[in-house]
């Protein structure tokens, strides 16, 4: 692998990137004070970095091509999850039990701060699973998912502000509002194909945010809404710490509920219809699947979770403003789904844990968070489009028939 | 009346910029059916490069004209190189992948480039030097139509003409049209499709850089985030005119520019971006093929 032509190629790549990044990475100007700063160290970094990366890149490209060839030759590659499931089906139960115990004990072992982070992660798990219905199962790329999240959060904040409605009343209302907006978005985009759909949903998300930002009489504009009450429990006044723990358990409840529902949905008639729609729209219609209903139900059911998490989010932070609902948030949720594996429930859960916890614990890293998300989206698509844990395609195995 | 003319000309200027960026979207879409999400970022990088180069040159005491020419030239070269590299990294390995994959990859590239500039440079708005000189003969009409606006409109017209001629009459233009119509067939008649795709990216990115320099010099400030909104709006323009069609992109750019200009002038300036997005959503719902729906013409 380390022959001369390979090194030469990498050297060329390295030189190209040194050239490419020269003005942005090396020079920094301050036009006001008229100072130019030359950062030659960065040049060296780019050179060495791209030299090394180009080797890795080519290695993985070769691996991928090898894999494709193997599939072409008819070799069957069992996905990781299936392998695990076949070999260790008896351990799955005990693993699940351990997870449940760990989750229950977590807030009592770790600090309030850790519990808050874990709550956030679980919220993103639910968001990821919701988006997974739309993107992963139904194959509709939704770039404005954050709009439904905002709808949920603002439903709670405004209903509470004007009518004094409590958390438990608004939680189902938030879900309904989310679903309603999902259908509202779904109707006009029924006819659109993949990429157009992506742009329209992106535009929709931005419209919602811009309206929230500018319509002061309705949403109090960029200054947002403060003093949103935390979730209540009849008859008990919580201290701040207790409230955090309480919220944590609520989120766990929601996450478990979501996992359960999404798992059941996948195997239901409508879930199969989504997958069929993703694979081939025309064939799917020919089989008698109602396209309109299937698509709308995907949008509505996906948005429902975002609406609920929105309510949770407003109750958790007690303050919301439009800045929490930018496109970046949508991109983050999409990264979770893509990294984990589109259509795979355990994948999305793992994806949420990685993408939320990593920047949280590697503080020095936090700056590079968005850079990393972008890179993850590209790299995952190039090298592992199916995600960390690929979705197991259901297949019928005919046992007992032997030729 | 004067207010109307002012809005009309303002819309024309905006529209020119949108058209310049929209051409990149439309050409790439025409050839590989991909919404190049990172195109807005290429435009931003073009503007940033021009800012950096012109600042350095100012410090070394070059004269204004030399700065304008050198900064523009270098910015165009760099934008073209970025466009070329982005295609090689993020899109080329995905040629045969399902449609959703390159789109997600493009979104990733866009986020990556934005944050690359943010981290390597700054998140603040930077003042952009007025590279375009003031013309004396426009002195009296300054409040209606400034000289930078004149330059923007003129440049757009010239660039469009050159591009149309290039695609209609040169060999490479012919190859581009062939690739857009049928990639496999183009390969069979001996067209190097990969090279044509690269050339398309290079041309599109250069146009974006020109748009970036012009608008930055007109508005007077830039930051790492300008590409996002401009990109979506230019895409709107491309779709408006019928994606894949070059005259369509220009027409779409002007329609969008005027819509925005009049809507903000007569209705409300708070919702500037909402008008653009609403127009996009409406056009996609009612006429997804665009105003000029000419398929297969790069």
């Amino acid at each position: 692998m380390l022959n001369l032509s390979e090194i030469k190629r990498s050297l060329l790549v390295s030189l190209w990137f040194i050239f490419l990044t020269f003005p942005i990475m090396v020079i920094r100007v301050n036009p006001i004070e008229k100072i130019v700063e030359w950062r030659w160290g960065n040049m060296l970094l780019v050179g060495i970095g791209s030299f090394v990366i180009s080797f890795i890149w080519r290695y993985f490209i070769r691996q991928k091509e090898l894999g494709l060839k193997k599939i072409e030759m008819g070799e069957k590659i069992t996905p990781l999850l299936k392998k695990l499931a076949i070999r260790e089906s008896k351990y799955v139960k005990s693993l699940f039990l351990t997870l449940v115990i760990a989750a229950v004990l977590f807030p009592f072992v770790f600090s309030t701060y850790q519990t808050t982070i874990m709550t956030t992660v679980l919220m993103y798990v639910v968001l990821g699973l919701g988006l997974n219905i739309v993107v992963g199962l139904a194959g509709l790329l939704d770039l404005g998912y954050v709009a439904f999240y905002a709808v949920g959060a603002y439903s709670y904040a405004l209903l509470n502000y004007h009518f004094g409605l409590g958390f438990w009343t608004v939680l189902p209302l938030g879900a309904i509002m989310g679903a309603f907006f999902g259908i509202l978005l779904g109707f006009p985009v029924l006819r659109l194909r993949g990429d157009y759909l992506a742009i329209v949903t992106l535009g929709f998300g931005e419209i919602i945010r811009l309206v929230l930002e500018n319509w002061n009489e309705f949403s109090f504009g960029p200054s947002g809404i403060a003093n949103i009450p935390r979730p209540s429990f009849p008859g008990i006044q919580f201290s701040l710490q207790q409230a955090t723990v309480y919220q944590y358990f609520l989120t766990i409840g929601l996450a478990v509920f979501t996992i359960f529902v999404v798992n059941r949905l996948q195997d239901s008639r409508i879930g199969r219809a989504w997958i069929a729609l993703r694979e081939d729209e025309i064939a799917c219609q020919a089989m008698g699947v109602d396209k309109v209903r299937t698509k709308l139900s995907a949008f509505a059911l996906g948005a429902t979770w975002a609406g609920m998490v929105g309510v949770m989010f407003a109750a958790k932070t007690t303050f919301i403003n439009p800045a929490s609902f930018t496109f970046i948030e949508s991109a983050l949720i999409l990264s979770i789904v893509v990294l984990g594996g589109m259509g795979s429930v355990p994948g999305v859960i793992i994806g949420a844990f990685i993408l939320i916890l990593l920047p949280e614990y590697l503080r020095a890293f936090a700056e590079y968070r968005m850079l990393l998300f972008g890179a993850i989206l590209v790299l995952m698509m190039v090298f592992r489009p199916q995600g960390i844990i690929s979705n197991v395609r259901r297949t019928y195995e005919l046992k007992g028939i032997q030729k | 009346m004067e207010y109307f003319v002012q809005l009309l000309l303002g819309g024309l200027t905006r529209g020119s910029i949108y058209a310049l960026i929209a051409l990149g979207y439309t050409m790439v879409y025409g050839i590989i059916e991909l919404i190049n999400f990172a195109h807005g970022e290429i435009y931003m990088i073009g503007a940033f490069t021009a800012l950096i180069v012109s600042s350095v040159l100012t410090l070394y005491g070059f004269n204004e004209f030399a700065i304008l020419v050198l900064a523009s030239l270098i910015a165009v070269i760099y934008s073209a190189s970025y466009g070329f590299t982005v295609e090689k990294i993020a899109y080329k390995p995905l040629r045969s992948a399902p449609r959703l994959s390159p789109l997600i990859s493009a979104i990733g590239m866009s986020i990556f480039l934005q944050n690359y500039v943010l981290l390597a440079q700054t998140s603040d708005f930077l003042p952009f030097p007025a590279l375009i000189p003031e013309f004396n003969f426009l002195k009296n009409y300054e409040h209606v139509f400034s000289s930078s606006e004149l330059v923007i409109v003129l440049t757009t017209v010239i660039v469009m003409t050159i591009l149309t001629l290039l695609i209609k009459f040169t060999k490479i233009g012919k190859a581009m049209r062939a690739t857009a119509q049928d990639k496999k067939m183009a390969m069979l008649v001996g067209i190097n499709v990969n090279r044509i795709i690269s050339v398309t990216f290079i041309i599109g990115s250069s146009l974006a850089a020109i748009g970036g320099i012009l608008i930055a010099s007109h508005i007077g400030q830039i930051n790492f985030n300008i590409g996002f909104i401009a990109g979506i709006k230019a895409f709107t323009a491309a779709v408006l005119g019928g994606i894949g069609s070059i005259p369509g992109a220009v027409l779409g750019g002007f329609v969008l520019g005027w819509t925005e200009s009049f809507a903000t002038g007569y209705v409300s300036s708070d919702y500037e971006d909402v008008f653009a997005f609403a127009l996009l959503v409406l056009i996609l719902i009612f006429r997804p093929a665009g105003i000029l729906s000419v398929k297969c013409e790069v």
Side-chain angles (χ1 to χ4, degrees):
Chain A
M1 186 187 147
L2 268 176
N3 55 31
L4 210 63
S5 72
E6 287 281 310
I7 292 175
K8 209 169 125 192
R9 254 179 99 179
S10 282
L11 216 59
L12 281 175
V13 170
S14 158
L15 279 176
W16 173 250
F17 275 96
I18 287 176
F19 159 76
L20 201 63
T21 53
F22 181 75
I24 307 270
M25 288 292 279
V26 176
I27 311 170
R28 173 145 62 187
V29 292
N30 188 336
I32 303 167
E33 288 165 35
K34 301 221 181 303
I35 305 170
V36 175
E37 190 189 337
W38 299 84
R39 299 169 292 177
W40 297 109
N42 282 346
M43 191 175 183
L44 202 69
L45 239 99
V46 168
I48 295 170
S50 51
F51 185 74
V52 174
I53 288 170
S54 78
F55 275 113
I56 303 172
W57 179 271
R58 283 206 299 274
Y59 173 75
F60 277 112
I61 287 271
R62 267 202 298 274
Q63 286 305 89
K64 190 184 154 196
E65 274 163 8
L66 226 65
L68 285 181
K69 228 173 250 165
K70 265 186 192 166
I71 291 171
E72 262 172 35
M73 301 285 275
E75 250 177 79
K76 222 175 162 184
I77 298 166
T78 10
L80 186 70
L81 194 71
K82 208 169 181 183
K83 262 190 234 164
L84 285 177
I86 291 166
R87 239 179 262 159
E88 300 167 44
S89 60
K90 54 188 164 189
Y91 299 123
V92 167
K93 226 171 209 167
S94 54
L95 180 79
F96 188 68
L97 212 68
T98 328
L99 272 179
V100 169
I101 293 172
V104 170
L105 286 180
F106 189 86
F108 304 108
V109 178
F110 293 97
S111 66
T112 318
Y113 171 66
Q114 303 292 341
T115 313
T116 320
I117 293 175
M118 210 31 98
T119 313
T120 313
V121 172
L122 288 168
M123 278 160 108
Y124 277 100
V125 167
V126 178
L127 283 172
L129 288 172
L131 185 62
N132 188 35
I133 292 178
V134 189
V135 178
L137 294 181
L140 307 162
L141 185 55
D142 184 350
L143 294 180
Y145 192 63
V146 78
F148 309 122
Y149 184 36
V151 165
Y154 269 88
S155 302
Y156 181 38
L158 289 172
L159 286 173
N160 185 274
Y161 183 85
H162 293 295
F163 307 108
L165 294 184
F167 175 80
W168 289 106
T169 332
V170 182
L171 192 63
L173 281 181
I176 293 169
M177 285 295 278
F180 172 71
F181 271 83
I183 292 174
L184 200 71
L185 168 69
F187 251 118
V189 300
L190 278 174
R191 287 186 303 159
L192 300 179
R193 279 183 308 136
D195 27 16
Y196 278 172
L197 179 83
I199 291 282
V200 170
T201 49
L202 175 67
F204 177 76
E206 285 295 298
I207 289 177
I208 296 264
R209 186 180 64 80
L210 288 166
V211 167
L212 287 175
E213 211 156 81
N214 289 308
W215 193 1
N216 287 325
E217 299 79 32
F218 172 70
S219 65
F220 304 97
S223 52
I225 302 168
N227 292 327
I228 303 165
R230 288 169 202 281
S232 56
F233 192 83
I236 303 176
Q237 275 292 349
F238 287 117
S239 69
L240 184 61
Q241 198 183 349
Q242 282 168 327
T244 317
V245 175
Y246 178 52
Q247 173 110 47
Y248 169 77
F249 281 115
L250 283 184
T251 323
I252 283 209
L254 182 64
V256 170
F257 177 61
T258 317
I259 293 168
F260 174 73
V261 172
V262 170
N263 254 326
R264 302 295 295 163
L265 268 178
Q266 256 183 21
D267 294 339
S268 71
R269 196 184 161 79
I270 189 92
R272 301 281 182 103
W274 286 334
I275 296 169
L277 197 72
R278 177 188 71 192
E279 296 299 328
D280 192 329
E281 223 174 282
I282 295 166
C284 172
Q285 277 178 294
M287 296 302 287
V289 174
D290 184 353
K291 189 178 114 184
V292 173
R293 230 181 53 199
T294 312
K295 271 194 180 177
L296 283 183
S297 63
F299 272 115
L301 280 170
T304 308
W305 303 111
M308 282 209 257
V309 180
V311 176
M312 287 254 181
F313 172 76
K316 172 171 169 273
T317 53
T318 71
F319 167 76
I320 52 166
N321 71 348
S324 315
F325 307 107
T326 53
F327 170 66
I328 292 187
E329 205 68 22
S330 286
L332 169 59
I333 305 169
L334 183 69
S335 312
I336 289 174
V337 176
V338 170
L339 177 70
M342 284 191 269
S344 137
V345 173
V348 171
I349 298 170
I350 293 175
F353 271 82
I354 294 176
L355 284 187
I356 306 299
L357 288 185
L358 217 63
E360 205 62 59
Y361 287 120
L362 300 169
R363 269 289 160 200
F365 218 52
E367 263 187 71
Y368 297 94
R369 202 173 70 137
M370 287 315 292
L371 193 77
L372 197 76
F373 290 162
I376 282 176
L377 285 179
V378 176
L379 293 178
M380 288 309 276
M381 281 301 117
V382 173
F383 294 117
R384 207 180 153 76
Q386 71 272 42
I388 296 178
I389 296 183
S390 55
N391 193 19
V392 184
R393 276 289 283 270
R394 255 155 240 281
T395 45
Y396 291 102
E397 279 172 41
L398 297 173
K399 279 175 192 154
I401 299 173
Q402 271 166 10
K403 279 182 185 172
Chain B
M1 189 62 208
E2 195 180 271
Y3 189 52
F4 178 81
V5 173
Q6 202 177 337
L7 291 177
L8 189 77
L9 292 172
L12 192 70
T13 317
R14 267 171 200 255
S16 307
I17 299 293
Y18 293 149
L20 274 176
I21 312 171
L23 280 173
Y25 278 107
T26 228
M27 285 169 67
V28 166
Y29 194 91
I31 284 199
I32 53 173
E33 301 228 325
L34 161 77
I35 297 174
N36 180 12
F37 245 94
H39 193 62
E41 269 50 63
I42 302 286
Y43 148 90
M44 178 267 296
I45 284 174
F48 247 100
T49 312
L51 169 69
I52 291 166
V53 172
S54 65
S55 303
V56 172
L57 292 181
T58 316
L59 228 66
Y60 287 108
F62 281 74
N63 74 15
E64 270 177 30
F65 183 71
I67 291 175
L68 173 65
V69 172
L70 278 175
S72 311
L73 199 68
I74 293 174
V76 167
I77 290 171
Y78 266 100
S79 274
S81 313
Y82 270 95
F84 172 80
T85 314
V86 164
E87 195 267 327
K88 286 274 176 271
I89 290 177
Y91 307 143
K92 197 175 163 217
L94 295 171
R95 272 303 142 68
S96 53
R99 282 182 72 102
L100 221 51
S101 303
L103 190 61
I104 293 175
S105 175
I107 295 166
M109 210 44 177
S110 156
I111 298 172
F112 181 86
L113 288 177
Q114 244 180 59
N115 285 279
Y116 153 71
V117 174
L118 165 72
L119 292 169
Q121 295 287 323
T122 169
S123 62
D124 302 329
F125 268 98
L126 293 176
F128 197 90
L131 291 174
I132 302 166
E134 298 289 322
F135 302 123
N136 278 329
F137 67 90
L138 270 175
K139 264 256 147 66
N140 298 328
Y141 309 99
E142 196 68 38
H143 56 291
V144 192
F145 200 53
S146 67
S147 34
S148 58
E149 286 177 302
L150 179 71
V151 171
I152 288 174
V153 175
L154 278 181
T155 315
T156 308
V157 171
I158 294 168
V159 167
M160 301 298 164
T161 318
I162 294 175
L163 188 69
T164 314
L165 294 178
L166 182 91
I167 285 173
K168 277 242 162 84
F169 297 113
T170 62
K171 207 170 171 186
I172 195 116
K174 211 174 188 178
M176 280 165 90
R177 279 181 288 153
T179 312
Q181 275 181 9
D182 192 332
K183 233 185 294 174
K184 260 202 191 117
M185 212 42 222
M187 260 188 243
L188 282 178
V189 294
I191 293 169
N192 186 344
V193 170
N194 278 332
R195 218 186 92 218
I196 294 301
I197 292 174
S198 288
V199 169
T200 312
F201 269 86
I202 287 170
I203 296 177
S205 306
S206 315
L207 296 179
I210 295 172
I213 300 161
L214 289 172
I215 194 69
S217 166
H218 176 58
I219 291 175
Q221 59 174 9
I222 56 170
N223 83 344
F224 75 98
N225 214 359
I226 55 170
F228 179 63
I229 286 285
I232 295 178
K233 286 188 181 169
F235 176 76
T236 308
V239 172
L240 212 57
I243 197 152
S245 132
I246 285 180
V250 180
L251 182 70
F254 287 132
V255 170
L256 182 66
W258 278 318
T259 310
E260 267 191 24
S261 181
F262 287 121
T264 51
Y266 287 120
V267 187
S268 155
S269 58
D270 285 344
Y271 291 99
E272 185 190 322
D273 297 339
V274 176
F275 292 125
F277 292 131
L279 189 66
L280 170 69
V281 173
L282 288 179
I283 215 78
L284 278 180
I285 292 164
F286 293 112
R287 206 181 152 79
I291 305 171
L292 301 178
S293 46
V294 204
K295 200 64 188 113
C296 298
E297 197 209 326
V298 184

